[in-house]
C-alpha cells in the first residue's frame, strides 16, 4: 500500500492490471477492504466502460499491480488541494 495521495493516480484514471486485458477506472484511493482482513489498498476501481453497477463490482488493488495507464484522470488545482487536505487521514471503507 502507498501511504501518500500524491504518489497515486488521479480518480478517473483508466488502467490495465498485470495479467489482465480488461480496463478498470479508478474511483477511490486508500481504501479499507472489509473482507475479513481489514487490508488497505491503494485503489478502488470498477470495470470500464461499464462503471460501478453494484457493490460486488468494486475491485481493489495496489499501485504495483498496474501494468499500463490507458488514461490519466483529471489533475488540477482543486484535485491537488483536496489531496493535500486528505493525505494520510482518509481511509475509506468498502464492504
Amino acid at each position: 500500500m502507498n501511504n501518500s495521495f500524491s504518489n497515486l493516480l488521479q480518480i478517473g484514471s483508466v488502467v490495465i492490471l498485470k495479467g489482465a486485458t480488461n480496463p478498470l477506472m479508478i474511483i477511490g484511493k486508500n481504501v479499507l477492504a472489509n473482507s475479513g482482513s481489514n487490508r488497505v489498498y491503494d485503489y478502488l476501481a470498477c470495470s470500464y466502460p461499464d462503471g460501478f453497477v453494484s457493490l460486488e463490482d468494486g475491485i481493489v488493488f495496489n499501485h504495483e499491480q498496474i501494468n499500463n495507464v490507458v488514461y490519466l484522470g483529471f489533475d488540477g488545482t482543486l484535485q491537488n488541494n483536496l489531496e493535500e487536505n486528505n493525505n494520510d487521514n482518509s481511509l475509506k471503507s468498502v464492504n
Side-chain angles (χ1 to χ4, degrees), residues 60-82:
V60 291
F61 60 94
N62 290 315
H63 191 81
E64 61 271 5
Q65 294 174 270
I66 297 172
N67 184 51
N68 185 25
V69 178
V70 177
Y71 175 78
L72 192 58
F74 178 73
D75 185 20
T77 304
L78 175 62
Q79 179 76 20
N80 294 334
N81 290 340
L82 290 172

Side-chain angles (χ1 to χ4, degrees), residues 32-39 41 94-95:
L32 176 63
N34 288 330
S35 60
S37 68
N38 287 333
R39 189 169 166 196
Y41 293 88
V94 174
N95 291 327

Side-chain angles (χ1 to χ4, degrees), residues 3-4 6 12 31-32 37 39 41-43 45 47 52 54-55 58-59 65 71 76 79 83 85:
N3 291 322
S4 174
S6 62
V31 179
L32 176 63
S37 68
R39 189 169 166 196
Y41 293 88
D42 292 333
Y43 301 105
S47 177
F52 194 78
S54 71
L55 287 177
I59 299 163
Q65 294 174 270
Y71 175 78
Q79 179 76 20
E83 289 180 354
N85 291 332

Side-chain angles (χ1 to χ4, degrees), residues 1-5 7-11 17 26-33 39-45 59-66 90-92:
M1 183 201 94
N2 195 324
N3 291 322
S4 174
F5 267 124
N7 296 326
L8 298 178
L9 295 171
Q10 296 84 9
I11 300 292
L17 300 182
I26 295 171
I27 59 173
K29 298 192 269 187
N30 286 347
V31 179
L32 176 63
R39 189 169 166 196
V40 177
Y41 293 88
D42 292 333
Y43 301 105
L44 170 65
I59 299 163
V60 291
F61 60 94
N62 290 315
H63 191 81
E64 61 271 5
Q65 294 174 270
I66 297 172
S90 58
L91 295 179
K92 287 108 180 148

